[in-house]
Amino acid sequence: MISSLRGMNDILAEDYERFTYFITTATEIAKKYGFHFVQTPLLEETALFKRSVGESSDIVGKEMYQFIDKGENDVCLRPEGTAGVVRAFVQKKLDKAGGVHRFYYHGAMFRYERPQKGRLRQFHQFGVESFGVDSVYEDANMIMMASDILSALGIGYRLQLNSLGDQNCMPAYRESLVKFIESCEDEICEDCQRRKLTNPIRVLDCKNEKCQSLYLNAPKLLDNLCAGCQSDFDKLKTILDQNNIKYEIDTNLVRGLDYYSKTAFEFVSDNIGSQSAITGGGRYDRLVEFLDGKATPAVGFAMGIERLLELIVMPESKREGYYLGAMDDEAIDMIVTLAHQKRKDAKVNVEYKSKNLKNHLKGADKVNARFCCVVGENERNDGTIWVKDLENKAETTIKVEDF
Ligand code: HAM
């Protein structure tokens, strides 16, 4: 038997219902916030992710589904959605057009990670990206939108917040951090020694316990912000306070992608095990320029749909539509025609095998139909149909013309 690849799951039946319920709910909320749908290809030039997510990131360094295609192009399956949306934004010249552009998307992402609970090689994200607004109100708006989506789905969370500074304050901070790292270089892990050379702030979220205990004494991002970044960060906290969004400050939250500046945030759940990040995002004011566009401020986030599935509190499912069944073979043609007419405005399930009434009632119950409609010999002769409302249990026989 051929099975799906490791870390790549089928989504069907009950999970699919949760999945579509999530997409519908998140889409409705994104639209309320003025976002429009965007779809970008699953396959992109590898260079796109090298220049955006960053060569020093684990994603680009170790986890890409990368290959040379038949035309000798270096391509890879997208590991995340932001880079593709920025590429589309620049390619469509929306950067030159100016103004504000807000997009939402959902779809499969691919990372060659070690699979475990909550960590897949093919997973799905729902993401939003906003271009053209440099105000920190937009950062707050993003966080409020993510919070609205999670709350609408009945999902509790903790929000972690940090500021990564900008090109005014980051270079000096990076220098002092590198000096600190050098002071304990012999004791830190190999990954951190490599990070020191590529992207030093990534050492701050190293999972190695020894490293973490050493970095307790490292200079803190939040103690080294310039006046602009500090005032934006303070303002962000005030807006969240005013809107009753609780948060924790985590000065070691650096995110695993290189394109962020200023606001960085993650929503985590304490109910799904070690892969607890359910949403991640932040501001990325330099990325449009890095991808050859006109400098444009931007901010966004993405939610990991698989991690959310088991947390979603589904609304009670209501009986819906019609179940049509025949009690003898002669009635089957009639119910197929009735079903075809009825489907113009309702959901209809048809059973093609003739059965007794008890079994049809069971069948209607199984598909959660509101009405069980059955035609037998008597109904055929009279041009009628027997209908039971499975909600209020009322039974009637009605003329086919009135059905
Ligand atoms: P990210 O933090 O890499 O950010 O991913 C966002 C979310 O995707 C995570 O919080 C997690 O729920 C889910 N996720 C990531 N990797 C996996 C995996 N291997 N298996 C299952 N779920 C996973 C980004 O991707 C950024 N593009 C977010 C963003 C948008 N920033 C600005 N705009």
Side-chain angles (χ1 to χ4, degrees):
M1 188 190 69
I2 300 177
S3 302
S4 65
L5 298 175
R6 251 189 104 208
M8 302 206 173
N9 287 349
D10 304 307
I11 301 175
L12 67 167
E14 217 246 328
D15 271 351
Y16 187 70
E17 259 171 49
R18 288 170 172 273
F19 193 96
T20 43
Y21 177 63
F22 169 81
I23 299 286
T24 312
T25 308
T27 299
E28 266 171 24
I29 292 172
K31 283 183 177 166
K32 280 187 191 153
Y33 276 80
F35 283 69
H36 301 278
F37 185 67
V38 62
Q39 179 151 293
T40 65
L42 297 186
L43 203 59
E44 298 266 8
E45 255 183 64
T46 301
L48 173 65
F49 301 105
K50 287 194 173 166
R51 267 161 69 182
S52 54
V53 176
E55 305 227 28
S56 74
S57 68
D58 286 351
I59 296 177
V60 170
K62 309 184 202 164
E63 298 170 358
M64 300 250 272
Y65 276 88
Q66 181 184 357
F67 60 96
I68 306 294
D69 74 5
K70 291 191 167 77
E72 303 287 304
N73 305 297
D74 187 349
V75 297
C76 78
L77 287 169
R78 64 181 183 191
E80 59 102 53
T82 309
V85 175
V86 175
R87 181 208 37 72
F89 175 78
V90 174
Q91 195 170 334
K92 281 269 183 263
K93 301 194 167 48
L94 299 176
D95 54 333
K96 310 278 186 313
V100 177
H101 302 268
R102 296 190 174 99
F103 300 105
Y104 72 90
Y105 53 89
H106 44 83
M109 309 290 159
F110 302 83
R111 297 183 192 175
Y112 197 85
E113 298 196 74
R114 197 169 46 75
Q116 65 175 86
K117 183 173 168 351
R119 187 160 69 195
L120 295 161
R121 288 182 173 169
Q122 176 177 335
F123 60 98
H124 295 78
Q125 285 185 344
F126 180 92
V128 298
E129 315 293 350
S130 157
F131 297 96
V133 188
D134 63 4
S135 158
V136 72
Y137 279 105
E138 189 71 350
D139 308 38
N141 218 28
M142 291 287 161
I143 292 174
M144 290 195 268
M145 174 167 29
S147 162
D148 282 356
I149 294 173
L150 295 173
S151 302
L153 297 164
I155 299 173
Y157 64 78
R158 279 186 298 116
L159 165 62
Q160 298 173 332
L161 206 58
N162 194 16
S163 172
L164 301 177
D166 62 8
Q167 68 262 43
N168 293 321
C169 45
M170 240 331 169
Y173 172 74
R174 196 175 293 124
E175 239 172 72
S176 64
L177 183 64
V178 168
K179 271 204 194 103
F180 173 85
I181 300 171
E182 279 165 352
S183 73
C184 54
E185 195 156 3
D186 300 340
E187 296 170 80
I188 59 178
C189 71
E190 264 176 40
D191 276 343
C192 281
Q193 286 172 1
R194 185 176 48 80
R195 287 175 187 133
K196 189 200 99 178
L197 303 170
T198 52
N199 187 3
I201 67 161
R202 288 292 322 280
V203 306
L204 297 175
D205 75 346
C206 177
K207 301 291 173 278
N208 183 306
E209 272 178 31
K210 173 101 187 284
C211 292
Q212 271 311 328
S213 68
L214 289 165
Y215 302 149
L216 286 176
N217 300 317
K220 307 259 177 297
L221 270 163
L222 287 179
D223 295 337
N224 288 275
L225 298 180
C226 59
C229 288
Q230 185 66 54
S231 103
D232 273 356
F233 193 58
D234 291 341
K235 182 72 191 174
L236 177 62
K237 289 186 287 183
T238 307
I239 304 167
L240 295 178
D241 289 338
Q242 283 165 349
N243 288 279
N244 295 321
I245 307 244
K246 302 222 169 354
Y247 54 84
E248 300 160 7
I249 305 296
D250 180 357
T251 188
N252 288 341
L253 176 73
V254 296
R255 310 270 302 121
L257 309 96
D258 289 355
Y259 48 63
Y260 294 108
S261 54
K262 294 191 170 177
T263 308
F265 58 88
E266 261 176 25
F267 289 75
V268 297
S269 163
D270 294 325
N271 301 317
I272 50 170
S274 67
Q275 300 305 305
S276 60
I278 48 178
T279 297
R283 186 162 271 285
Y284 52 94
D285 288 342
R286 309 288 309 280
L287 185 54
V288 178
E289 273 173 272
F290 289 160
L291 295 176
D292 303 323
K294 183 175 159 209
T296 307
V299 54
F301 69 77
M303 311 183 121
I305 303 181
E306 279 83 354
R307 289 187 192 172
L308 296 173
L309 287 187
E310 65 178 285
L311 298 170
I312 294 174
V313 180
M314 292 289 282
E316 231 178 88
S317 76
K318 277 180 74 180
R319 289 191 173 279
E320 190 197 346
Y322 298 77
Y323 169 100
L324 263 62
M327 301 224 331
D328 56 20
D329 287 354
E330 288 73 22
I332 295 175
D333 287 352
M334 184 174 155
I335 59 154
V336 167
T337 303
L338 284 172
H340 183 221
Q341 291 164 1
K342 202 73 198 161
R343 280 198 183 108
K344 293 197 169 71
D345 54 20
K347 178 180 166 190
V348 181
N349 279 278
V350 186
E351 173 55 62
Y352 299 131
K353 278 204 189 106
S354 57
K355 291 181 178 177
N356 64 25
L357 184 59
K358 198 172 142 210
N359 282 331
H360 279 313
L361 285 166
K362 266 194 204 158
D365 197 45
K366 204 167 162 199
V367 297
N368 216 19
R370 165 93 190 262
F371 299 101
C372 178
C373 314
V374 175
V375 176
E377 194 185 343
N378 292 345
E379 289 79 14
R380 237 180 338 101
N381 292 336
D382 301 348
T384 56
I385 183 162
W386 180 87
V387 179
K388 178 167 183 177
D389 183 336
L390 297 176
E391 222 164 70
N392 64 21
K393 311 293 177 210
E395 296 174 20
T396 44
T397 301
I398 53 170
K399 284 266 172 218
V400 163
E401 310 84 89
D402 300 333
F403 178 59

